[in-house]
Amino acid sequence: MARPRKPLLSRDRIVAAASALVDAEGLDAVSTRRLAAELGVSGPSLYNHFRTKDDILEAVADAVSTQVDLSMFDPADERDWRTALHDWAVSYRAALKAHPNIVPVFARGPGRRPAGLRIADAVFGAMVRAGWPPAQATHIGALMRYFITGSALASFAGGFVDDESAYDPADYPHLGRAHLLAEHRQQVDEGAFDTGLVAIIDGLASRYAATVRT
């Protein structure tokens, strides 16, 4: 009986293996030697598909970007720009929350990543169609990227230790319950994101109204 052939090495296989490593162990776990071992191939064979480790991480980030819903920016979609921006932000953050270790790569900007550029193009196009001047549409895209990636980089609640003695009332008179934040991490972080998103969109709506009047 013939021995089963090994699956051919491909960009998709490399990205899938790198994604699994990033999710499980973080960015530092990814190296050509480690990926080659995971895939059962020689290290140099990876260079037929990617030049550097950074190229691989960019591809992982792009794969995550494809999970972001952009349907709300379709010209045929009936959602107004406020609702579209809200729904997109929620979808974008959900994708990053599912793969938090890759967020630092997103923080660099879309670069040449096709899916990342499609996101930027969709947001900019939708804002211009809604009546925003191009410069303001660009600012909105930047603002939302800063807010979404920043909210996914780390947990606010998780930054506080659960040791009550760390928050001496003599030094921190308003942090008497800070040691309890870690227990309510998801509630705090989700609430902060929702509050911030509503505030941002309300602020944009006010500016939009002023722009239209002028």
PDB file of all heavy atoms in Angstrom, residues 160-189:
ATOM      1  N   PHE A 160      -5.750  45.839  37.426  1.00  0.00           N
ATOM      2  CA  PHE A 160      -5.763  46.058  38.876  1.00  0.00           C
ATOM      3  C   PHE A 160      -5.597  44.726  39.597  1.00  0.00           C
ATOM      4  O   PHE A 160      -6.250  43.740  39.245  1.00  0.00           O
ATOM      5  CB  PHE A 160      -7.081  46.719  39.302  1.00  0.00           C
ATOM      6  CG  PHE A 160      -7.217  48.144  38.834  1.00  0.00           C
ATOM      7  CD1 PHE A 160      -7.710  48.420  37.574  1.00  0.00           C
ATOM      8  CD2 PHE A 160      -6.851  49.199  39.655  1.00  0.00           C
ATOM      9  CE1 PHE A 160      -7.836  49.733  37.130  1.00  0.00           C
ATOM     10  CE2 PHE A 160      -6.965  50.509  39.224  1.00  0.00           C
ATOM     11  CZ  PHE A 160      -7.464  50.782  37.952  1.00  0.00           C
ATOM     12  N   VAL A 161      -4.735  44.701  40.602  1.00  0.00           N
ATOM     13  CA  VAL A 161      -4.514  43.463  41.357  1.00  0.00           C
ATOM     14  C   VAL A 161      -5.664  43.254  42.333  1.00  0.00           C
ATOM     15  O   VAL A 161      -6.355  44.203  42.730  1.00  0.00           O
ATOM     16  CB  VAL A 161      -3.175  43.506  42.115  1.00  0.00           C
ATOM     17  CG1 VAL A 161      -2.024  43.656  41.133  1.00  0.00           C
ATOM     18  CG2 VAL A 161      -3.145  44.639  43.138  1.00  0.00           C
ATOM     19  N   ASP A 162      -5.884  42.005  42.724  1.00  0.00           N
ATOM     20  CA  ASP A 162      -7.003  41.696  43.622  1.00  0.00           C
ATOM     21  C   ASP A 162      -6.581  41.721  45.089  1.00  0.00           C
ATOM     22  O   ASP A 162      -7.182  41.064  45.936  1.00  0.00           O
ATOM     23  CB  ASP A 162      -7.614  40.338  43.269  1.00  0.00           C
ATOM     24  CG  ASP A 162      -6.612  39.198  43.402  1.00  0.00           C
ATOM     25  OD1 ASP A 162      -5.437  39.482  43.746  1.00  0.00           O
ATOM     26  OD2 ASP A 162      -7.005  38.051  43.146  1.00  0.00           O
ATOM     27  N   ASP A 163      -5.529  42.490  45.394  1.00  0.00           N
ATOM     28  CA  ASP A 163      -5.020  42.623  46.761  1.00  0.00           C
ATOM     29  C   ASP A 163      -5.472  43.973  47.321  1.00  0.00           C
ATOM     30  O   ASP A 163      -5.013  45.029  46.896  1.00  0.00           O
ATOM     31  CB  ASP A 163      -3.493  42.534  46.743  1.00  0.00           C
ATOM     32  CG  ASP A 163      -2.874  42.679  48.133  1.00  0.00           C
ATOM     33  OD1 ASP A 163      -3.631  42.802  49.125  1.00  0.00           O
ATOM     34  OD2 ASP A 163      -1.634  42.671  48.219  1.00  0.00           O
ATOM     35  N   GLU A 164      -6.393  43.942  48.285  1.00  0.00           N
ATOM     36  CA  GLU A 164      -6.960  45.168  48.841  1.00  0.00           C
ATOM     37  C   GLU A 164      -5.898  46.064  49.447  1.00  0.00           C
ATOM     38  O   GLU A 164      -6.020  47.309  49.429  1.00  0.00           O
ATOM     39  CB  GLU A 164      -8.020  44.817  49.895  1.00  0.00           C
ATOM     40  CG  GLU A 164      -8.775  46.006  50.435  1.00  0.00           C
ATOM     41  CD  GLU A 164      -9.916  45.602  51.366  1.00  0.00           C
ATOM     42  OE1 GLU A 164     -10.053  44.381  51.636  1.00  0.00           O
ATOM     43  OE2 GLU A 164     -10.658  46.501  51.816  1.00  0.00           O
ATOM     44  N   SER A 165      -4.826  45.464  49.963  1.00  0.00           N
ATOM     45  CA  SER A 165      -3.785  46.261  50.625  1.00  0.00           C
ATOM     46  C   SER A 165      -3.001  47.131  49.642  1.00  0.00           C
ATOM     47  O   SER A 165      -2.279  48.042  50.051  1.00  0.00           O
ATOM     48  CB  SER A 165      -2.813  45.336  51.372  1.00  0.00           C
ATOM     49  OG  SER A 165      -2.079  44.523  50.455  1.00  0.00           O
ATOM     50  N   ALA A 166      -3.137  46.862  48.357  1.00  0.00           N
ATOM     51  CA  ALA A 166      -2.419  47.658  47.360  1.00  0.00           C
ATOM     52  C   ALA A 166      -3.018  49.053  47.199  1.00  0.00           C
ATOM     53  O   ALA A 166      -2.404  49.933  46.594  1.00  0.00           O
ATOM     54  CB  ALA A 166      -2.424  46.943  46.014  1.00  0.00           C
ATOM     55  N   TYR A 167      -4.230  49.230  47.746  1.00  0.00           N
ATOM     56  CA  TYR A 167      -4.935  50.495  47.550  1.00  0.00           C
ATOM     57  C   TYR A 167      -5.228  51.142  48.911  1.00  0.00           C
ATOM     58  O   TYR A 167      -6.363  51.238  49.356  1.00  0.00           O
ATOM     59  CB  TYR A 167      -6.225  50.252  46.763  1.00  0.00           C
ATOM     60  CG  TYR A 167      -5.982  49.454  45.504  1.00  0.00           C
ATOM     61  CD1 TYR A 167      -6.303  48.098  45.439  1.00  0.00           C
ATOM     62  CD2 TYR A 167      -5.386  50.050  44.398  1.00  0.00           C
ATOM     63  CE1 TYR A 167      -6.046  47.367  44.294  1.00  0.00           C
ATOM     64  CE2 TYR A 167      -5.137  49.320  43.249  1.00  0.00           C
ATOM     65  CZ  TYR A 167      -5.460  47.977  43.205  1.00  0.00           C
ATOM     66  OH  TYR A 167      -5.204  47.253  42.065  1.00  0.00           O
ATOM     67  N   ASP A 168      -4.158  51.562  49.558  1.00  0.00           N
ATOM     68  CA  ASP A 168      -4.263  52.208  50.875  1.00  0.00           C
ATOM     69  C   ASP A 168      -5.100  53.479  50.738  1.00  0.00           C
ATOM     70  O   ASP A 168      -4.775  54.368  49.932  1.00  0.00           O
ATOM     71  CB  ASP A 168      -2.859  52.551  51.369  1.00  0.00           C
ATOM     72  CG  ASP A 168      -2.845  53.022  52.819  1.00  0.00           C
ATOM     73  OD1 ASP A 168      -3.839  53.651  53.250  1.00  0.00           O
ATOM     74  OD2 ASP A 168      -1.851  52.766  53.508  1.00  0.00           O
ATOM     75  N   PRO A 169      -6.182  53.603  51.519  1.00  0.00           N
ATOM     76  CA  PRO A 169      -7.039  54.792  51.441  1.00  0.00           C
ATOM     77  C   PRO A 169      -6.286  56.090  51.672  1.00  0.00           C
ATOM     78  O   PRO A 169      -6.687  57.142  51.178  1.00  0.00           O
ATOM     79  CB  PRO A 169      -8.080  54.548  52.540  1.00  0.00           C
ATOM     80  CG  PRO A 169      -8.085  53.077  52.738  1.00  0.00           C
ATOM     81  CD  PRO A 169      -6.689  52.620  52.486  1.00  0.00           C
ATOM     82  N   ALA A 170      -5.199  56.020  52.411  1.00  0.00           N
ATOM     83  CA  ALA A 170      -4.412  57.226  52.659  1.00  0.00           C
ATOM     84  C   ALA A 170      -3.766  57.736  51.376  1.00  0.00           C
ATOM     85  O   ALA A 170      -3.562  58.944  51.202  1.00  0.00           O
ATOM     86  CB  ALA A 170      -3.336  56.949  53.709  1.00  0.00           C
ATOM     87  N   ASP A 171      -3.456  56.827  50.482  1.00  0.00           N
ATOM     88  CA  ASP A 171      -2.818  57.200  49.216  1.00  0.00           C
ATOM     89  C   ASP A 171      -3.821  57.292  48.067  1.00  0.00           C
ATOM     90  O   ASP A 171      -3.674  58.125  47.169  1.00  0.00           O
ATOM     91  CB  ASP A 171      -1.740  56.179  48.853  1.00  0.00           C
ATOM     92  CG  ASP A 171      -0.596  56.152  49.861  1.00  0.00           C
ATOM     93  OD1 ASP A 171      -0.205  57.238  50.320  1.00  0.00           O
ATOM     94  OD2 ASP A 171      -0.112  55.048  50.171  1.00  0.00           O
ATOM     95  N   TYR A 172      -4.816  56.394  48.094  1.00  0.00           N
ATOM     96  CA  TYR A 172      -5.786  56.313  46.998  1.00  0.00           C
ATOM     97  C   TYR A 172      -7.207  56.311  47.572  1.00  0.00           C
ATOM     98  O   TYR A 172      -7.861  55.267  47.641  1.00  0.00           O
ATOM     99  CB  TYR A 172      -5.554  55.047  46.176  1.00  0.00           C
ATOM    100  CG  TYR A 172      -4.097  54.788  45.872  1.00  0.00           C
ATOM    101  CD1 TYR A 172      -3.394  53.768  46.525  1.00  0.00           C
ATOM    102  CD2 TYR A 172      -3.413  55.581  44.952  1.00  0.00           C
ATOM    103  CE1 TYR A 172      -2.064  53.536  46.258  1.00  0.00           C
ATOM    104  CE2 TYR A 172      -2.078  55.357  44.679  1.00  0.00           C
ATOM    105  CZ  TYR A 172      -1.401  54.335  45.331  1.00  0.00           C
ATOM    106  OH  TYR A 172      -0.071  54.105  45.075  1.00  0.00           O
ATOM    107  N   PRO A 173      -7.679  57.466  47.998  1.00  0.00           N
ATOM    108  CA  PRO A 173      -8.958  57.521  48.718  1.00  0.00           C
ATOM    109  C   PRO A 173     -10.167  57.090  47.882  1.00  0.00           C
ATOM    110  O   PRO A 173     -11.216  56.781  48.460  1.00  0.00           O
ATOM    111  CB  PRO A 173      -9.068  58.999  49.109  1.00  0.00           C
ATOM    112  CG  PRO A 173      -8.191  59.733  48.149  1.00  0.00           C
ATOM    113  CD  PRO A 173      -7.063  58.795  47.870  1.00  0.00           C
ATOM    114  N   HIS A 174     -10.027  57.031  46.557  1.00  0.00           N
ATOM    115  CA  HIS A 174     -11.172  56.684  45.716  1.00  0.00           C
ATOM    116  C   HIS A 174     -11.063  55.284  45.092  1.00  0.00           C
ATOM    117  O   HIS A 174     -11.878  54.929  44.240  1.00  0.00           O
ATOM    118  CB  HIS A 174     -11.324  57.718  44.603  1.00  0.00           C
ATOM    119  CG  HIS A 174     -11.406  59.126  45.116  1.00  0.00           C
ATOM    120  ND1 HIS A 174     -12.441  59.569  45.916  1.00  0.00           N
ATOM    121  CD2 HIS A 174     -10.559  60.175  44.975  1.00  0.00           C
ATOM    122  CE1 HIS A 174     -12.241  60.833  46.231  1.00  0.00           C
ATOM    123  NE2 HIS A 174     -11.106  61.231  45.676  1.00  0.00           N
ATOM    124  N   LEU A 175     -10.080  54.509  45.499  1.00  0.00           N
ATOM    125  CA  LEU A 175      -9.885  53.183  44.911  1.00  0.00           C
ATOM    126  C   LEU A 175     -10.142  52.065  45.909  1.00  0.00           C
ATOM    127  O   LEU A 175      -9.569  50.977  45.804  1.00  0.00           O
ATOM    128  CB  LEU A 175      -8.462  53.058  44.342  1.00  0.00           C
ATOM    129  CG  LEU A 175      -8.119  53.989  43.176  1.00  0.00           C
ATOM    130  CD1 LEU A 175      -6.696  53.728  42.696  1.00  0.00           C
ATOM    131  CD2 LEU A 175      -9.106  53.800  42.024  1.00  0.00           C
ATOM    132  N   GLY A 176     -11.030  52.311  46.834  1.00  0.00           N
ATOM    133  CA  GLY A 176     -11.290  51.326  47.881  1.00  0.00           C
ATOM    134  C   GLY A 176     -11.850  50.010  47.373  1.00  0.00           C
ATOM    135  O   GLY A 176     -11.729  48.984  48.044  1.00  0.00           O
ATOM    136  N   ARG A 177     -12.455  50.012  46.194  1.00  0.00           N
ATOM    137  CA  ARG A 177     -13.015  48.777  45.642  1.00  0.00           C
ATOM    138  C   ARG A 177     -12.280  48.321  44.376  1.00  0.00           C
ATOM    139  O   ARG A 177     -12.745  47.445  43.647  1.00  0.00           O
ATOM    140  CB  ARG A 177     -14.497  48.984  45.330  1.00  0.00           C
ATOM    141  CG  ARG A 177     -15.340  49.295  46.567  1.00  0.00           C
ATOM    142  CD  ARG A 177     -16.786  49.553  46.226  1.00  0.00           C
ATOM    143  NE  ARG A 177     -17.426  48.397  45.619  1.00  0.00           N
ATOM    144  CZ  ARG A 177     -17.915  47.353  46.300  1.00  0.00           C
ATOM    145  NH1 ARG A 177     -17.823  47.333  47.628  1.00  0.00           N
ATOM    146  NH2 ARG A 177     -18.490  46.342  45.679  1.00  0.00           N
ATOM    147  N   ALA A 178     -11.126  48.923  44.131  1.00  0.00           N
ATOM    148  CA  ALA A 178     -10.381  48.594  42.912  1.00  0.00           C
ATOM    149  C   ALA A 178      -9.955  47.133  42.862  1.00  0.00           C
ATOM    150  O   ALA A 178      -9.845  46.542  41.779  1.00  0.00           O
ATOM    151  CB  ALA A 178      -9.156  49.494  42.781  1.00  0.00           C
ATOM    152  N   HIS A 179      -9.729  46.543  44.039  1.00  0.00           N
ATOM    153  CA  HIS A 179      -9.294  45.143  44.070  1.00  0.00           C
ATOM    154  C   HIS A 179     -10.386  44.188  43.594  1.00  0.00           C
ATOM    155  O   HIS A 179     -10.116  43.014  43.318  1.00  0.00           O
ATOM    156  CB  HIS A 179      -8.858  44.756  45.484  1.00  0.00           C
ATOM    157  CG  HIS A 179      -9.972  44.811  46.483  1.00  0.00           C
ATOM    158  ND1 HIS A 179     -10.502  46.004  46.947  1.00  0.00           N
ATOM    159  CD2 HIS A 179     -10.669  43.817  47.107  1.00  0.00           C
ATOM    160  CE1 HIS A 179     -11.464  45.742  47.817  1.00  0.00           C
ATOM    161  NE2 HIS A 179     -11.586  44.427  47.936  1.00  0.00           N
ATOM    162  N   LEU A 180     -11.618  44.677  43.471  1.00  0.00           N
ATOM    163  CA  LEU A 180     -12.729  43.836  43.021  1.00  0.00           C
ATOM    164  C   LEU A 180     -12.916  43.881  41.500  1.00  0.00           C
ATOM    165  O   LEU A 180     -13.685  43.094  40.952  1.00  0.00           O
ATOM    166  CB  LEU A 180     -14.035  44.279  43.696  1.00  0.00           C
ATOM    167  CG  LEU A 180     -14.043  44.253  45.229  1.00  0.00           C
ATOM    168  CD1 LEU A 180     -15.357  44.819  45.750  1.00  0.00           C
ATOM    169  CD2 LEU A 180     -13.820  42.825  45.736  1.00  0.00           C
ATOM    170  N   LEU A 181     -12.213  44.794  40.836  1.00  0.00           N
ATOM    171  CA  LEU A 181     -12.422  44.983  39.404  1.00  0.00           C
ATOM    172  C   LEU A 181     -12.109  43.716  38.605  1.00  0.00           C
ATOM    173  O   LEU A 181     -12.822  43.384  37.654  1.00  0.00           O
ATOM    174  CB  LEU A 181     -11.570  46.145  38.888  1.00  0.00           C
ATOM    175  CG  LEU A 181     -12.058  47.543  39.267  1.00  0.00           C
ATOM    176  CD1 LEU A 181     -11.027  48.592  38.859  1.00  0.00           C
ATOM    177  CD2 LEU A 181     -13.398  47.832  38.613  1.00  0.00           C
ATOM    178  N   ALA A 182     -11.030  43.032  38.978  1.00  0.00           N
ATOM    179  CA  ALA A 182     -10.631  41.847  38.222  1.00  0.00           C
ATOM    180  C   ALA A 182     -11.726  40.787  38.194  1.00  0.00           C
ATOM    181  O   ALA A 182     -11.846  40.026  37.228  1.00  0.00           O
ATOM    182  CB  ALA A 182      -9.344  41.261  38.789  1.00  0.00           C
ATOM    183  N   GLU A 183     -12.545  40.731  39.250  1.00  0.00           N
ATOM    184  CA  GLU A 183     -13.630  39.746  39.300  1.00  0.00           C
ATOM    185  C   GLU A 183     -14.731  40.072  38.286  1.00  0.00           C
ATOM    186  O   GLU A 183     -15.509  39.193  37.903  1.00  0.00           O
ATOM    187  CB  GLU A 183     -14.251  39.719  40.704  1.00  0.00           C
ATOM    188  CG  GLU A 183     -13.307  39.303  41.809  1.00  0.00           C
ATOM    189  CD  GLU A 183     -13.995  39.347  43.162  1.00  0.00           C
ATOM    190  OE1 GLU A 183     -15.248  39.399  43.187  1.00  0.00           O
ATOM    191  OE2 GLU A 183     -13.301  39.339  44.198  1.00  0.00           O
ATOM    192  N   HIS A 184     -14.789  41.319  37.887  1.00  0.00           N
ATOM    193  CA  HIS A 184     -15.847  41.765  36.967  1.00  0.00           C
ATOM    194  C   HIS A 184     -15.235  42.280  35.664  1.00  0.00           C
ATOM    195  O   HIS A 184     -15.732  43.222  35.058  1.00  0.00           O
ATOM    196  CB  HIS A 184     -16.677  42.858  37.635  1.00  0.00           C
ATOM    197  CG  HIS A 184     -17.225  42.462  38.963  1.00  0.00           C
ATOM    198  ND1 HIS A 184     -18.318  41.629  39.094  1.00  0.00           N
ATOM    199  CD2 HIS A 184     -16.813  42.758  40.225  1.00  0.00           C
ATOM    200  CE1 HIS A 184     -18.574  41.439  40.390  1.00  0.00           C
ATOM    201  NE2 HIS A 184     -17.669  42.114  41.085  1.00  0.00           N
ATOM    202  N   ARG A 185     -14.160  41.634  35.258  1.00  0.00           N
ATOM    203  CA  ARG A 185     -13.380  42.091  34.109  1.00  0.00           C
ATOM    204  C   ARG A 185     -14.226  42.280  32.854  1.00  0.00           C
ATOM    205  O   ARG A 185     -14.196  43.339  32.229  1.00  0.00           O
ATOM    206  CB  ARG A 185     -12.256  41.082  33.843  1.00  0.00           C
ATOM    207  CG  ARG A 185     -11.401  41.378  32.645  1.00  0.00           C
ATOM    208  CD  ARG A 185     -10.226  40.423  32.608  1.00  0.00           C
ATOM    209  NE  ARG A 185      -9.400  40.606  31.443  1.00  0.00           N
ATOM    210  CZ  ARG A 185      -8.180  40.085  31.302  1.00  0.00           C
ATOM    211  NH1 ARG A 185      -7.666  39.357  32.279  1.00  0.00           N
ATOM    212  NH2 ARG A 185      -7.485  40.288  30.208  1.00  0.00           N
ATOM    213  N   GLN A 186     -14.981  41.256  32.481  1.00  0.00           N
ATOM    214  CA  GLN A 186     -15.760  41.353  31.244  1.00  0.00           C
ATOM    215  C   GLN A 186     -16.809  42.458  31.340  1.00  0.00           C
ATOM    216  O   GLN A 186     -16.989  43.236  30.396  1.00  0.00           O
ATOM    217  CB  GLN A 186     -16.440  40.027  30.925  1.00  0.00           C
ATOM    218  CG  GLN A 186     -17.231  40.060  29.613  1.00  0.00           C
ATOM    219  CD  GLN A 186     -17.752  38.690  29.216  1.00  0.00           C
ATOM    220  OE1 GLN A 186     -17.383  37.676  29.807  1.00  0.00           O
ATOM    221  NE2 GLN A 186     -18.615  38.660  28.216  1.00  0.00           N
ATOM    222  N   GLN A 187     -17.496  42.538  32.471  1.00  0.00           N
ATOM    223  CA  GLN A 187     -18.530  43.553  32.654  1.00  0.00           C
ATOM    224  C   GLN A 187     -17.939  44.960  32.545  1.00  0.00           C
ATOM    225  O   GLN A 187     -18.516  45.837  31.885  1.00  0.00           O
ATOM    226  CB  GLN A 187     -19.188  43.380  34.018  1.00  0.00           C
ATOM    227  CG  GLN A 187     -20.284  44.397  34.318  1.00  0.00           C
ATOM    228  CD  GLN A 187     -20.870  44.200  35.707  1.00  0.00           C
ATOM    229  OE1 GLN A 187     -20.546  43.252  36.408  1.00  0.00           O
ATOM    230  NE2 GLN A 187     -21.728  45.115  36.112  1.00  0.00           N
ATOM    231  N   VAL A 188     -16.785  45.178  33.169  1.00  0.00           N
ATOM    232  CA  VAL A 188     -16.151  46.500  33.135  1.00  0.00           C
ATOM    233  C   VAL A 188     -15.701  46.843  31.725  1.00  0.00           C
ATOM    234  O   VAL A 188     -15.963  47.937  31.203  1.00  0.00           O
ATOM    235  CB  VAL A 188     -14.958  46.551  34.112  1.00  0.00           C
ATOM    236  CG1 VAL A 188     -14.175  47.843  33.928  1.00  0.00           C
ATOM    237  CG2 VAL A 188     -15.443  46.434  35.546  1.00  0.00           C
ATOM    238  N   ASP A 189     -15.011  45.898  31.086  1.00  0.00           N
ATOM    239  CA  ASP A 189     -14.455  46.179  29.757  1.00  0.00           C
ATOM    240  C   ASP A 189     -15.543  46.353  28.707  1.00  0.00           C
ATOM    241  O   ASP A 189     -15.464  47.245  27.856  1.00  0.00           O
ATOM    242  CB  ASP A 189     -13.497  45.061  29.345  1.00  0.00           C
ATOM    243  CG  ASP A 189     -12.241  45.038  30.210  1.00  0.00           C
ATOM    244  OD1 ASP A 189     -11.947  46.064  30.842  1.00  0.00           O
ATOM    245  OD2 ASP A 189     -11.568  43.999  30.243  1.00  0.00           O
TER     246      ASP A 189
END
